[in-house]
Amino acid sequence: MTTFDDILEEAGKFGRCQKRIFALLCMVSMPWAGVYVGIVFQGFTPDHWCRDSAVVERRQACGWSLADSRRLTVPLVNSSGVLQQSTCEQFEVNWNATDLTCDSKELDLGRTPTTGCKDGWEYDYEGRQSFVTEFDLVCSDAWLVDMYQATLNVGFLVGSIAIGYLADRFGRKMSFLMSNLLNGIAGILVAVAPNYVTLLVFRTFYGFGVKGGWVAGYVLITEIVGVEFRRTVGVVYQMFFSVGILLLPLLAYFITDWRWLQVVITVPYIIFLSYYWLIPESPRWLLSQNKKSKAVEITEAMAKENKKTLSKNIETLTDDNAESTTASFMDLIRTPKMRKHTFILSYNWFTSAVVYQGLIMRLGILGGNVYIDFLISGLVEFPAAFLILFTIERIGRRLPFAAANIVAGASCFITAFIPDSMFWFKTVVACIGRLGITMAFEMVVFVNTELYPTFVRNLGVSVCSTLCDVGGIVAPFLLYRLAVIWLELPLIIFGSLAFLAGGLVLLLPETRGVPLPDTIEDIEFPEKAKEKAALKNQQLANLLPNNDVSSNKDPATV
């Protein structure tokens, strides 16, 4: 029997063909950044106050600025011990019957009753048009901004499960292409949504396709490279999300209307439909579906593009990942260590999503230059990938994973108590937090795969990662609602979540240099698994006395 990994030895584990496909699929990660955190610019809430038609007429007649008319006509409210101009109240007064003149410097309206906004709001746009200003999602309707992000994550949650199933049923390539077709249609519908209800509906469909298509691309590239390249390919694939994070503020700076920004974010998904002619189906998946002739055809084409020749009998190619055991959710929680792994990993998925998304969206409410702040915070994500690649084979998985969470938590706590006057120090500490949570987010993906046995590995990752989408649903409500009470309160919550996540990670076993488990028994009794692996190596040594068995690495340890 010849396995696909045997054939890759000759066809090229990461040759020209795989590099080309990898480069194409990495492009998919970039627009996803715009979808995931585009709310920072599309849902930007500018400074606002109650609109009064009489004041607007007087301002136009007198040539006042927005600041002048606001100073004269907007009541002051006590906010955390500081008097500030109200954003949601106005004086209950007939301005045409007051002493307000073009030369007025101030008015004594201290005893005048106030009321809620009756005639909409005025906005200090700063050159930007967001869906918040278009649909007046402020004051009592401000929570609807949270729904914009929550519905996206609802789509992520349902779509990743549904498209994951379709990818196993109909293939990685077909699911990838269908996802991008849905993304293109839903993304344009979001851009032309006539009202907020339809906007949320289309946004949910958008989320349904985006994450599922990204995961299908991730699976496809990892299935066509040699096992020793999978982890590097996976980390770099995710790193291109950070490239998208850097491009987003540049796009938003020049495209100030949220609808046109939505169109630009969506266009790449339409372009990705051309991948029908540029990327192949996964030969591993074809083998699992008993479509051997097509798998052979694609493998031979890969070898040809890599300028390699195949000497092994490719006609005996078999599915080296076939598994007859049926996995169920109960397998994840039935035994003590499996239950512990499931709980800890699920919590880490949840925390990573809440803290990562929360820290990014927080940039939109700080009041600084959101473009520069966003760009700086995006730059610190790149060292995360390099730190992972540098540490996981030297130090292991557990300590860097735990340290990343703890650093993120400590940074959140410290940032919350640094005064605004120490702007650059506060920015640096916040960026360290972004670095930590980015590293934790990227590590949870492959640590998850190493802590479940083969037959339940895909199900385990799918179940645990659904908590990521639950975290994404919760994050905007935590950030925006708690920030109304105290701007730094969300950081205290984020820090607490990350600290707990780091502590829980220390309860997980180290997986560096450990073969991937095949059965639940390997998880529950790791010492027996080591003895079994040693016995297997000894048997192989007896069968092949003239070969150096130690040089034959177990693919699972790479």
Side-chain angles (χ1 to χ4, degrees), residues 232-262:
T232 301
V233 161
V235 171
V236 175
Y237 183 80
Q238 294 179 73
M239 192 174 72
F240 270 79
F241 179 90
S242 300
V243 176
I245 291 287
L246 291 184
L247 292 176
L248 181 59
L250 299 177
L251 290 173
Y253 182 80
F254 292 104
I255 305 171
T256 55
D257 188 298
W258 74 273
R259 292 184 182 272
W260 282 109
L261 181 59
Q262 175 63 35

Short mmCIF file of all heavy atoms in Angstrom, two decimals, residues 232-262:
data_model
loop_
_atom_site.label_atom_id
_atom_site.label_comp_id
_atom_site.label_asym_id
_atom_site.label_seq_id
_atom_site.Cartn_x
_atom_site.Cartn_y
_atom_site.Cartn_z
N THR A 232 3.75 25.43 10.07
CA THR A 232 4.25 26.71 9.55
C THR A 232 3.25 27.31 8.57
O THR A 232 2.95 28.51 8.63
CB THR A 232 5.61 26.52 8.86
OG1 THR A 232 6.53 25.98 9.80
CG2 THR A 232 6.14 27.85 8.33
N VAL A 233 2.73 26.47 7.69
CA VAL A 233 1.74 26.93 6.71
C VAL A 233 0.51 27.48 7.43
O VAL A 233 -0.04 28.52 7.07
CB VAL A 233 1.36 25.77 5.77
CG1 VAL A 233 0.05 26.04 5.07
CG2 VAL A 233 2.46 25.57 4.73
N GLY A 234 0.07 26.79 8.48
CA GLY A 234 -1.11 27.23 9.21
C GLY A 234 -0.90 28.56 9.90
O GLY A 234 -1.78 29.43 9.87
N VAL A 235 0.27 28.76 10.52
CA VAL A 235 0.55 30.01 11.22
C VAL A 235 0.66 31.17 10.22
O VAL A 235 0.11 32.26 10.45
CB VAL A 235 1.84 29.89 12.06
CG1 VAL A 235 2.25 31.25 12.61
CG2 VAL A 235 1.64 28.90 13.20
N VAL A 236 1.35 30.96 9.11
CA VAL A 236 1.51 32.02 8.12
C VAL A 236 0.16 32.36 7.47
O VAL A 236 -0.14 33.52 7.19
CB VAL A 236 2.55 31.62 7.05
CG1 VAL A 236 2.63 32.67 5.95
CG2 VAL A 236 3.92 31.44 7.70
N TYR A 237 -0.65 31.33 7.23
CA TYR A 237 -2.00 31.54 6.68
C TYR A 237 -2.79 32.49 7.57
O TYR A 237 -3.46 33.41 7.10
CB TYR A 237 -2.70 30.19 6.56
CG TYR A 237 -4.09 30.21 5.93
CD1 TYR A 237 -4.24 30.26 4.55
CD2 TYR A 237 -5.23 30.14 6.71
CE1 TYR A 237 -5.50 30.25 3.97
CE2 TYR A 237 -6.49 30.12 6.14
CZ TYR A 237 -6.62 30.18 4.77
OH TYR A 237 -7.88 30.16 4.20
N GLN A 238 -2.69 32.30 8.88
CA GLN A 238 -3.38 33.18 9.82
C GLN A 238 -2.71 34.56 9.87
O GLN A 238 -3.38 35.57 10.10
CB GLN A 238 -3.36 32.57 11.22
CG GLN A 238 -4.17 31.29 11.35
CD GLN A 238 -4.09 30.71 12.75
OE1 GLN A 238 -4.68 31.24 13.67
NE2 GLN A 238 -3.35 29.61 12.90
N MET A 239 -1.39 34.60 9.64
CA MET A 239 -0.67 35.87 9.72
C MET A 239 -1.15 36.85 8.66
O MET A 239 -1.09 38.07 8.85
CB MET A 239 0.84 35.63 9.57
CG MET A 239 1.70 36.84 9.92
SD MET A 239 3.46 36.46 9.91
CE MET A 239 3.75 36.29 8.15
N PHE A 240 -1.64 36.33 7.54
CA PHE A 240 -2.13 37.23 6.50
C PHE A 240 -3.40 37.96 6.92
O PHE A 240 -3.77 38.96 6.31
CB PHE A 240 -2.34 36.47 5.18
CG PHE A 240 -1.11 36.46 4.32
CD1 PHE A 240 -0.07 35.59 4.59
CD2 PHE A 240 -0.97 37.35 3.27
CE1 PHE A 240 1.08 35.58 3.82
CE2 PHE A 240 0.18 37.36 2.49
CZ PHE A 240 1.21 36.47 2.76
N PHE A 241 -4.07 37.45 7.96
CA PHE A 241 -5.15 38.22 8.57
C PHE A 241 -4.60 39.53 9.11
O PHE A 241 -5.23 40.59 8.99
CB PHE A 241 -5.79 37.39 9.69
CG PHE A 241 -6.91 38.09 10.40
CD1 PHE A 241 -8.22 37.96 9.97
CD2 PHE A 241 -6.67 38.87 11.53
CE1 PHE A 241 -9.27 38.61 10.63
CE2 PHE A 241 -7.70 39.51 12.20
CZ PHE A 241 -9.00 39.38 11.74
N SER A 242 -3.40 39.48 9.69
CA SER A 242 -2.76 40.69 10.21
C SER A 242 -2.39 41.65 9.09
O SER A 242 -2.40 42.87 9.28
CB SER A 242 -1.51 40.31 11.02
OG SER A 242 -1.84 39.47 12.10
N VAL A 243 -2.05 41.11 7.91
CA VAL A 243 -1.81 41.98 6.75
C VAL A 243 -3.09 42.75 6.42
O VAL A 243 -3.07 43.95 6.12
CB VAL A 243 -1.34 41.16 5.54
CG1 VAL A 243 -1.18 42.05 4.31
CG2 VAL A 243 -0.03 40.44 5.85
N GLY A 244 -4.22 42.04 6.48
CA GLY A 244 -5.50 42.70 6.24
C GLY A 244 -5.80 43.77 7.28
O GLY A 244 -6.37 44.82 6.97
N ILE A 245 -5.38 43.52 8.53
CA ILE A 245 -5.56 44.51 9.60
C ILE A 245 -4.80 45.80 9.27
O ILE A 245 -5.27 46.91 9.55
CB ILE A 245 -5.06 43.94 10.95
CG1 ILE A 245 -5.98 42.81 11.44
CG2 ILE A 245 -4.94 45.03 12.00
CD1 ILE A 245 -7.31 43.26 11.96
N LEU A 246 -3.62 45.66 8.66
CA LEU A 246 -2.84 46.84 8.30
C LEU A 246 -3.46 47.59 7.12
O LEU A 246 -3.41 48.82 7.05
CB LEU A 246 -1.40 46.43 7.94
CG LEU A 246 -0.52 45.92 9.06
CD1 LEU A 246 0.89 45.65 8.53
CD2 LEU A 246 -0.46 46.91 10.22
N LEU A 247 -4.03 46.85 6.18
CA LEU A 247 -4.61 47.49 5.00
C LEU A 247 -5.93 48.19 5.30
O LEU A 247 -6.28 49.19 4.66
CB LEU A 247 -4.85 46.43 3.90
CG LEU A 247 -3.60 45.81 3.27
CD1 LEU A 247 -4.00 44.71 2.29
CD2 LEU A 247 -2.77 46.88 2.56
N LEU A 248 -6.66 47.69 6.29
CA LEU A 248 -8.00 48.23 6.57
C LEU A 248 -8.00 49.71 6.91
O LEU A 248 -8.79 50.47 6.33
CB LEU A 248 -8.65 47.40 7.69
CG LEU A 248 -10.06 47.82 8.09
CD1 LEU A 248 -11.02 47.74 6.90
CD2 LEU A 248 -10.57 46.97 9.24
N PRO A 249 -7.15 50.21 7.82
CA PRO A 249 -7.20 51.66 8.11
C PRO A 249 -6.79 52.51 6.92
O PRO A 249 -7.27 53.64 6.77
CB PRO A 249 -6.23 51.82 9.28
CG PRO A 249 -5.32 50.64 9.21
CD PRO A 249 -6.17 49.53 8.68
N LEU A 250 -5.93 51.97 6.06
CA LEU A 250 -5.55 52.72 4.85
C LEU A 250 -6.73 52.85 3.91
O LEU A 250 -6.99 53.93 3.35
CB LEU A 250 -4.38 52.02 4.15
CG LEU A 250 -3.09 51.88 4.97
CD1 LEU A 250 -2.03 51.10 4.18
CD2 LEU A 250 -2.54 53.26 5.35
N LEU A 251 -7.47 51.76 3.74
CA LEU A 251 -8.67 51.81 2.90
C LEU A 251 -9.71 52.75 3.50
O LEU A 251 -10.31 53.57 2.80
CB LEU A 251 -9.26 50.40 2.75
CG LEU A 251 -8.48 49.39 1.92
CD1 LEU A 251 -9.12 48.01 2.01
CD2 LEU A 251 -8.43 49.84 0.46
N ALA A 252 -9.92 52.63 4.83
CA ALA A 252 -10.94 53.44 5.49
C ALA A 252 -10.59 54.93 5.46
O ALA A 252 -11.48 55.79 5.42
CB ALA A 252 -11.12 52.97 6.93
N TYR A 253 -9.30 55.24 5.45
CA TYR A 253 -8.88 56.64 5.41
C TYR A 253 -9.29 57.30 4.09
O TYR A 253 -9.72 58.47 4.08
CB TYR A 253 -7.37 56.74 5.59
CG TYR A 253 -6.85 58.14 5.61
CD1 TYR A 253 -6.93 58.92 6.76
CD2 TYR A 253 -6.26 58.70 4.48
CE1 TYR A 253 -6.46 60.22 6.79
CE2 TYR A 253 -5.79 60.01 4.49
CZ TYR A 253 -5.89 60.76 5.65
OH TYR A 253 -5.42 62.06 5.65
N PHE A 254 -9.18 56.56 3.01
CA PHE A 254 -9.50 57.12 1.69
C PHE A 254 -10.96 56.87 1.28
O PHE A 254 -11.48 57.59 0.42
CB PHE A 254 -8.56 56.53 0.63
CG PHE A 254 -7.13 56.97 0.78
CD1 PHE A 254 -6.18 56.11 1.30
CD2 PHE A 254 -6.74 58.25 0.44
CE1 PHE A 254 -4.86 56.51 1.45
CE2 PHE A 254 -5.42 58.67 0.58
CZ PHE A 254 -4.49 57.80 1.09
N ILE A 255 -11.58 55.86 1.87
CA ILE A 255 -12.98 55.55 1.54
C ILE A 255 -13.80 55.86 2.78
O ILE A 255 -13.93 55.04 3.68
CB ILE A 255 -13.15 54.08 1.12
CG1 ILE A 255 -12.21 53.75 -0.04
CG2 ILE A 255 -14.60 53.79 0.72
CD1 ILE A 255 -12.15 52.28 -0.38
N THR A 256 -14.38 57.05 2.82
CA THR A 256 -15.01 57.53 4.05
C THR A 256 -16.47 57.13 4.19
O THR A 256 -17.05 57.31 5.26
CB THR A 256 -14.89 59.07 4.13
OG1 THR A 256 -15.47 59.63 2.94
CG2 THR A 256 -13.44 59.48 4.24
N ASP A 257 -17.08 56.62 3.14
CA ASP A 257 -18.47 56.18 3.21
C ASP A 257 -18.52 54.69 3.51
O ASP A 257 -17.90 53.89 2.81
CB ASP A 257 -19.19 56.46 1.88
CG ASP A 257 -20.68 56.21 1.97
OD1 ASP A 257 -21.06 55.05 2.24
OD2 ASP A 257 -21.47 57.15 1.77
N TRP A 258 -19.23 54.28 4.53
CA TRP A 258 -19.23 52.88 4.98
C TRP A 258 -19.73 51.93 3.90
O TRP A 258 -19.29 50.78 3.82
CB TRP A 258 -20.05 52.73 6.25
CG TRP A 258 -21.54 52.80 6.06
CD1 TRP A 258 -22.33 53.91 6.04
CD2 TRP A 258 -22.42 51.68 5.84
NE1 TRP A 258 -23.64 53.58 5.83
CE2 TRP A 258 -23.73 52.21 5.72
CE3 TRP A 258 -22.25 50.31 5.75
CZ2 TRP A 258 -24.85 51.41 5.49
CZ3 TRP A 258 -23.35 49.50 5.53
CH2 TRP A 258 -24.64 50.04 5.41
N ARG A 259 -20.64 52.40 3.05
CA ARG A 259 -21.18 51.52 2.01
C ARG A 259 -20.12 51.20 0.95
O ARG A 259 -19.97 50.04 0.53
CB ARG A 259 -22.41 52.16 1.35
CG ARG A 259 -23.62 52.26 2.29
CD ARG A 259 -24.83 52.81 1.56
NE ARG A 259 -25.99 52.97 2.43
CZ ARG A 259 -26.89 52.01 2.68
NH1 ARG A 259 -26.76 50.84 2.11
NH2 ARG A 259 -27.92 52.25 3.47
N TRP A 260 -19.36 52.20 0.53
CA TRP A 260 -18.31 51.95 -0.46
C TRP A 260 -17.17 51.14 0.14
O TRP A 260 -16.55 50.32 -0.54
CB TRP A 260 -17.80 53.27 -1.04
CG TRP A 260 -18.73 53.83 -2.07
CD1 TRP A 260 -19.52 54.93 -1.95
CD2 TRP A 260 -18.98 53.28 -3.37
NE1 TRP A 260 -20.26 55.11 -3.10
CE2 TRP A 260 -19.94 54.11 -4.00
CE3 TRP A 260 -18.50 52.18 -4.07
CZ2 TRP A 260 -20.41 53.88 -5.27
CZ3 TRP A 260 -18.98 51.94 -5.34
CH2 TRP A 260 -19.92 52.77 -5.94
N LEU A 261 -16.89 51.35 1.43
CA LEU A 261 -15.87 50.53 2.10
C LEU A 261 -16.32 49.07 2.11
O LEU A 261 -15.50 48.16 1.90
CB LEU A 261 -15.65 51.03 3.53
CG LEU A 261 -14.59 50.28 4.35
CD1 LEU A 261 -13.23 50.35 3.68
CD2 LEU A 261 -14.52 50.86 5.77
N GLN A 262 -17.61 48.84 2.33
CA GLN A 262 -18.15 47.49 2.29
C GLN A 262 -17.98 46.85 0.91
O GLN A 262 -17.62 45.68 0.79
CB GLN A 262 -19.64 47.52 2.67
CG GLN A 262 -20.36 46.19 2.56
CD GLN A 262 -19.82 45.15 3.51
OE1 GLN A 262 -19.42 45.48 4.62
NE2 GLN A 262 -19.81 43.90 3.09
#
